[in-house]
Amino acid sequence: MTILKNRLAELVPTWRNDISTLNKQHGDVSLGNTTISQAIGGMRGMKALICDTSYLDPEEGIRFRGYTIPETRARLPKPNESGEAWPTGLWYLLLTGDIPTREAVVELENEFRARADMPKYVFDVIRALPTSTHPMTQFSIGIAALQNTSEFAKAYNAGLHKQDYWVTTLEDSMNLLARLPRLAAYIYRRSYKQDVHIEADPKLDWGANFAHMMGVKDPAYGDLMRLYLILHSDHESGNVSAHTSHLVSSALSDVYYAVAAGINGLAGPLHGLANQECLKWIMELMEHFDGVPTKEQVADYTWETLNAGRVIPGYGHAVLRQTDPRYKAQRDYALKFMANDPVVQTVSNVFEVVPDILLKHGKAKNPWPNVDAHSGALQQFYGVTEVDFYTVLFGVSRAMGITAQLIWDRAVGMSLERPKSVTVAMLKDAAGIAS
Ligand code: HAX
């Protein structure tokens, strides 16, 4: 196929030049409610979504229903007082805005436990894939395979009234969330643990059971899992995974279609996959310098990465302009429980060096670390070293935020999402330059 490819190769430089000129020289030109640079630059800062489950302030970071991360961790009920809160309590908070009572969380935990059985055919679908298939692909396919069980789709086909959309969306959300740890642990054990699987323990909560089914023996990992599931759950609705799910769901596609689509977005290296990329980068850095690198060595390696035209994974953010409080929460946890771990020490050295370099480099608007800069260091400490799996952990958590948002969307009857596009010639017209 050379004729088409050659023709495209001729056209691409002109397209790039058009976009770059419009962005640099005419970015501020109004298109009505937006500007040319917003249309080109991924709609940054455009206020066109509503999300009540959480709000992301560029300086302060995330608040879940008005609560900061430390407030959320302190106020949500906990299985034991010295440990981390039940993530199911966070889901209740995201959905309602109320800090749930202990009784409400125990009821939700029991509900999830009762819904956790996985239809066998879903495992068969996963088993049809080569074991080398990326865990995020397996995860997305497993979620899509569950669509066959959608209560919303069934009720819609039977003539569901608009006012009741949220009821079966809640049902689908609970069924999906209840099963996600099983699905994720199955993928983990099949991909990395000789296909030997571990049954759920009915005595454990949703988060600790996930840790148990993955096969991590240290009980502290159950606590870390609860923290992880809370921290990664929701980041308002403009991020790629939440927005993708919202968009798909706006066509009245059910929770399974919508969450699978969001998971596909989470699988991108500029979004959730950055957690895998980040630990990979840290391990390569340590291998390169044969142990914990000095700050000078980190600086050299950082410049090498940037000069090769690559990004420093785990640094920068489309909205945040400070260190991510989700990073801080994980750093505090690491300093408390594993301060002498060499990977944790390397992450600390990177934190002391990279922001200054990114500032000198002069491109990133935010030189500070995001959530993904620290999560892998905590995982590897407990023996979860398979970096390709990290984004699945993120996905189980993010599904809580996404489903809470989708239930709200259905409850208030959010519209089909359909923004308007314009042509490059129209942008040139608006900018007053010749086509
Ligand atoms: N390393 C090197 N360059 C970076 C950078 C980084 N960490 N962060 C931003 N830049 C560059 C951008 O690539 C961009 O370069 P070009 O002008 O050549 O395109 C420039 O700085 C301006 O980008 P920005 O406006 O600061 O950032 P964006 O809003 O476009 O993108 C990203 C935000 C998070 C995608 C970006 O900071 C990045 O690529 N970071 C590394 C990957 C990462 O950690 N992603 C996870 C983010 C959090 C998340 O979603 N978790 O799931």
Side-chain angles (χ1 to χ4, degrees):
M1 203 186 52
T2 52
I3 297 175
L4 175 62
K5 197 168 171 190
N6 288 343
R7 179 63 188 135
L8 282 170
E10 276 171 11
L11 290 168
V12 166
T14 317
W15 292 346
R16 284 187 182 153
N17 185 52
D18 281 349
I19 293 294
S20 160
T21 308
L22 281 162
N23 199 20
K24 281 192 190 134
Q25 293 174 20
H26 307 281
D28 290 339
V29 170
S30 169
L31 299 173
N33 295 325
T34 54
T35 61
I36 286 182
S37 73
Q38 283 178 311
I40 292 174
M43 299 186 269
R44 285 297 178 288
M46 209 178 94
K47 291 180 180 155
L49 292 166
I50 307 168
C51 176
D52 260 359
T53 54
S54 63
Y55 181 75
L56 178 59
D57 181 85
E59 302 298 325
E60 187 194 48
I62 196 70
R63 276 181 186 258
F64 301 122
R65 286 278 186 180
Y67 296 102
T68 62
I69 287 171
E71 286 164 358
T72 305
R73 287 171 73 189
R75 290 183 188 217
L76 287 178
K78 302 179 169 102
N80 47 66
E81 271 322 299
S82 59
E84 295 295 333
W86 276 301
T88 39
L90 178 81
W91 197 58
Y92 189 108
L93 171 66
L94 294 176
L95 278 168
T96 61
D98 306 333
I99 296 286
T101 60
R102 197 176 179 83
E103 184 193 4
V105 181
V106 169
E107 185 189 71
L108 198 50
E109 282 287 334
N110 287 336
E111 196 68 51
F112 277 23
R113 205 167 280 122
R115 293 167 186 254
D117 270 355
M118 185 69 88
K120 183 183 163 295
Y121 80 85
V122 176
F123 295 135
D124 294 342
V125 168
I126 300 286
R127 299 196 75 77
L129 300 166
T131 43
S132 59
T133 307
H134 194 282
M136 281 299 273
T137 313
Q138 299 188 50
F139 194 49
S140 165
I141 289 172
I143 294 169
L146 279 166
Q147 191 280 330
N148 187 44
T149 68
S150 171
E151 296 292 329
F152 174 83
K154 218 184 297 164
Y156 188 84
N157 287 338
L160 184 63
H161 192 287
K162 271 184 172 190
Q163 297 289 330
D164 297 328
Y165 285 174
W166 70 271
V167 179
T168 39
T169 302
L170 173 66
E171 286 298 314
D172 280 352
S173 298
M174 288 197 286
N175 287 336
L176 176 63
L177 289 177
R179 288 165 169 167
L180 281 186
R182 184 84 198 96
L183 175 63
Y186 190 86
I187 292 166
Y188 182 68
R189 302 285 310 175
R190 175 173 183 256
S191 301
Y192 310 112
K193 303 291 168 187
Q194 293 78 47
D195 210 7
V196 176
H197 299 279
I198 300 171
E199 283 307 311
D201 179 345
K203 293 189 295 303
L204 294 175
D205 61 83
W206 185 67
N209 225 337
F210 185 14
H212 161 76
M213 289 186 287
M214 280 176 63
V216 181
K217 297 271 185 291
D218 190 333
Y221 186 67
D223 223 31
L224 173 68
M225 183 65 92
R226 281 191 289 268
L227 174 63
Y228 187 103
L229 292 172
I230 286 175
L231 292 180
H232 291 75
S233 59
D234 204 36
H235 223 220
E236 62 170 48
S237 65
N239 65 78
V240 170
S241 50
H243 186 200
T244 304
S245 295
H246 168 78
L247 170 66
V248 170
S249 163
S250 81
L252 291 189
S253 302
D254 59 53
V255 159
Y256 299 94
Y257 283 128
V259 174
I263 290 299
N264 292 346
L266 194 70
L270 296 187
H271 190 21
L273 204 81
N275 62 4
Q276 144 181 337
E277 295 302 291
C278 192
L279 195 73
K280 226 157 80 184
W281 188 80
I282 295 281
M283 299 313 277
E284 282 163 9
L285 167 66
M286 292 179 71
E287 201 177 303
H288 192 74
F289 293 109
D290 203 17
V292 177
T294 63
K295 288 177 195 155
E296 290 70 32
Q297 288 171 328
V298 172
D300 289 348
Y301 201 77
T302 303
W303 277 115
E304 224 174 88
T305 304
L306 290 171
N307 292 337
R310 294 167 56 200
V311 297
I312 308 300
Y315 281 76
H317 201 273
V319 177
L320 278 166
R321 293 296 175 259
Q322 284 295 336
T323 296
D324 191 336
R326 301 172 300 175
Y327 174 91
K328 280 189 194 146
Q330 296 181 94
R331 182 170 161 82
D332 291 347
Y333 187 97
L335 295 179
K336 191 165 166 195
F337 294 111
M338 54 195 80
N340 294 327
D341 179 77
V343 177
V344 167
Q345 286 178 349
T346 303
V347 168
S348 292
N349 285 353
V350 168
F351 178 47
E352 287 185 42
V353 169
V354 162
D356 276 349
I357 293 184
L358 283 176
L359 283 173
K360 282 195 195 109
H361 186 240
K363 278 189 156 194
K365 293 189 189 69
N366 174 35
W368 301 107
N370 60 58
V371 66
D372 299 317
H374 215 310
S375 55
L378 304 181
Q379 293 298 324
Q380 63 79 40
F381 179 80
Y382 290 106
V384 182
T385 54
E386 300 85 359
V387 294
D388 287 6
F389 186 71
Y390 288 177
T391 316
V392 175
L393 293 169
F394 194 156
V396 173
S397 171
R398 181 49 56 92
M400 284 200 293
I402 290 175
T403 50
Q405 293 186 20
L406 297 183
I407 292 163
W408 185 89
D409 288 351
R410 291 283 188 262
V412 301
M414 289 300 280
S415 301
L416 177 82
E417 192 173 303
R418 194 1 178 141
K420 185 74 190 81
S421 53
V422 289
T423 63
V424 171
M426 288 172 186
L427 293 183
K428 288 182 176 176
D429 267 358
I433 55 174
S435 272

